[in-house]
């Protein structure tokens, strides 16, 4: 039935919710498809749609799934939208329709379905149907993927794998690429660099510690608009606080979250003559990152 989710969907049908007559109709439509008689399958779905009720919902859903499978995306979407607009509320098919659209990459329409289903949920969480978790999670997942800040409703949903991955990816990017944000540059100090690099080498924009600090020095020297403040990170504090990432609702919050993971120390740049280098080497700045030749080999970007 559903491309790529055939087995799980078939299991869902047989497991519960669907009575024997409905399951029988769905099975015979599928049997016709298997022997390349789509017109017979379509006749069954159309019959189901005419019957209305739960049977009609499944008719819309199956017909749309078939149309998507043969590349008639617009027709399929029209079917799914009429499922949503023209019929009584029936949460389960709406959720499946949303997931179908999501799988096909039509995130905007999918979000419409998830949001509509969420808006029909009862106010008291105790009275929620079993699919409530999934529609909440779906709405949350899509809003994150589309860059829409999450709201309170979304935070009730379970965090999805892809959203979680997205946040991690963005966070790793924030910590790997040295950049001045609001006058501050967060970086791994010498003492933590090795460890951080072992954990997140793919995200850190350098292959050696020396290259990493040369890059930062270059960013600092070429930064216009006031002297940046340096904020050393600590891997340990980072590891301890990072679980709270699930609460992050937007990219702006992610930036703030990333800076909360630091231990709050700041380092002036450039250090005064004779003072230890900002990078944490313990050597004087002018003999370390501040050397006149220190930037050789540090290409911007
Ligand atoms: Zn240094």
């Amino acid at each position: 039935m559903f491309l790529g989710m055939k087995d799980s969907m078939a299991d869902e049908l047989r497991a519960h919710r669907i009575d024997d007559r409905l399951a029988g109709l769905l099975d015979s439509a599928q049997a016709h498809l298997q022997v390349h008689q789509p017109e017979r399958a379509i006749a069954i779905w159309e019959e189901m749609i005419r019957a209305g009720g739960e049977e009609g919902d499944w008719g819309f859903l199956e017909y749309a799934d078939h149309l998507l499978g043969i590349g008639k995306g617009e027709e399929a979407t029209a079917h799914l939208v009429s499922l949503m607009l023209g019929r009584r509320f029936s949460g389960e098919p709406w959720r499946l329709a949303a997931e179908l659209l999501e799988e096909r990459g039509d995130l905007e329409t999918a979000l419409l379905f998830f949001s509509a289903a969420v808006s029909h949920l009862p106010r008291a969480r105790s009275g929620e149907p079993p699919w409530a978790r999934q529609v909440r999670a779906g709405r949350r997942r899509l809003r994150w993927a589309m860059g829409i800040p999450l709201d309170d409703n979304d935070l009730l949903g379970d965090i999805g794998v892809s959203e979680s991955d997205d946040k991690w990816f963005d966070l790793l990017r924030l910590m790997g690429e040295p950049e001045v944000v609001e006058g501050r540059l967060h970086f791994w100090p010498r003492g933590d660099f090795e460890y951080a690099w072992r954990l997140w080498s793919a995200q850190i924009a350098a292959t050696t510690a020396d290259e990493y600090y040369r890059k930062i020095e270059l960013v600092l020297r070429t930064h216009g608009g006031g002297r940046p403040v340096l904020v050393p990170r600590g891997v340990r504090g980072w590891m301890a606080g990072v679980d709270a990432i699930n609460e992050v609702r937007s990219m702006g919050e992610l930036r703030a979250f990333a800076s909360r993971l630091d231990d709050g120390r700041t380092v002036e740049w450039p250090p005064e003559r004779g003072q230890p280098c900002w990078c944490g080497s313990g050597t004087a700045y002018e003999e370390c990152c501040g050397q006149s030749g220190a930037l050789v080999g540090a290409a911007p970007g």
Side-chain angles (χ1 to χ4, degrees):
M1 171 176 36
F2 287 86
L3 297 167
M5 43 197 297
K6 257 181 185 140
D7 293 337
S8 64
M9 285 298 303
D11 289 347
E12 252 187 279
L13 288 188
R14 278 167 194 86
H16 44 189
R17 287 187 293 274
I18 308 254
D19 63 27
D20 290 348
R21 177 189 146 74
L22 184 45
L25 287 168
L26 293 172
D27 279 350
S28 46
Q30 287 305 315
H32 287 306
L33 279 188
Q34 303 248 309
V35 296
H36 308 291
Q37 294 175 325
E39 66 291 338
R40 295 203 177 185
I42 289 168
I44 293 175
W45 296 323
E46 283 176 339
E47 189 63 38
M48 292 169 73
I49 290 168
R50 270 193 296 277
E54 194 178 6
E55 201 171 298
D57 291 342
W58 286 100
F60 270 118
L61 202 54
E62 293 277 292
Y63 198 169
D65 184 44
H66 170 67
L67 290 170
L68 283 170
I70 59 173
K72 295 192 172 175
E74 279 185 25
E75 246 182 274
T77 305
H79 266 268
L80 292 174
V81 169
S82 58
L83 160 72
M84 182 165 73
L85 299 181
R87 310 195 65 79
R88 73 196 163 83
F89 174 63
S90 176
E92 190 78 68
W94 285 24
R95 171 177 75 78
L96 294 170
E99 287 172 359
L100 200 54
L101 289 161
E102 183 184 355
E103 209 175 290
R104 294 283 160 168
D106 186 354
L107 300 191
E108 284 184 18
T109 318
L111 179 59
L112 205 67
F113 272 78
F114 279 127
S115 299
V118 166
S119 72
H120 279 75
L121 288 175
R123 274 171 204 277
R125 296 200 72 198
S126 55
E128 279 187 352
W131 44 265
R133 284 168 68 101
Q134 284 152 302
V135 294
R136 282 222 170 81
R139 181 173 184 269
R140 175 187 177 129
R141 179 172 67 241
L142 288 192
R143 281 165 69 97
W144 180 263
M146 294 164 77
I148 305 170
L150 305 182
D151 61 18
D152 290 342
N153 229 327
D154 295 319
L155 293 183
L156 292 172
D158 299 332
I159 186 161
V161 173
S162 62
E163 178 200 332
S164 182
D165 286 353
D166 283 353
K167 280 188 190 171
W168 267 98
F169 182 79
D170 288 339
L171 185 62
L172 291 170
R173 191 165 51 77
L174 283 183
M175 47 177 254
E177 194 66 51
E179 80 179 299
V180 180
V181 177
E182 290 167 6
R184 299 159 82 84
L185 186 148
H186 299 255
F187 74 105
W188 299 106
R190 292 258 180 196
D192 285 59
F193 181 84
E194 278 280 312
Y195 189 17
W197 201 81
R198 245 180 288 146
L199 291 172
W200 303 299
S201 59
Q203 279 74 32
I204 293 178
T207 49
T208 63
D210 287 342
E211 185 192 348
Y212 178 69
Y213 296 108
R214 274 200 304 271
K215 268 199 168 180
I216 296 178
E217 180 72 23
L218 184 68
V219 169
L220 294 166
R221 288 192 198 180
T222 53
H223 175 70
R227 289 183 179 185
V229 172
L230 285 163
V231 187
R233 293 195 176 101
V235 170
R236 224 161 277 122
W238 213 85
M239 297 297 268
V242 79
D243 279 351
I245 195 172
N246 288 2
E247 301 300 312
V248 169
R249 302 180 192 213
S250 65
M251 198 60 197
E253 282 193 14
L254 193 62
R255 279 187 194 285
F257 174 77
S259 28
R260 280 202 303 278
L261 295 173
D262 301 321
D263 58 14
R265 279 185 307 137
T266 56
V267 178
E268 295 290 324
W269 184 91
E272 306 247 342
R273 248 202 110 65
Q275 289 301 302
C277 187
W278 58 266
C279 73
S281 62
T283 316
Y285 173 61
E286 55 276 10
E287 289 162 24
C288 186
C289 301
Q291 285 179 64
S292 48
L295 296 185
V296 174

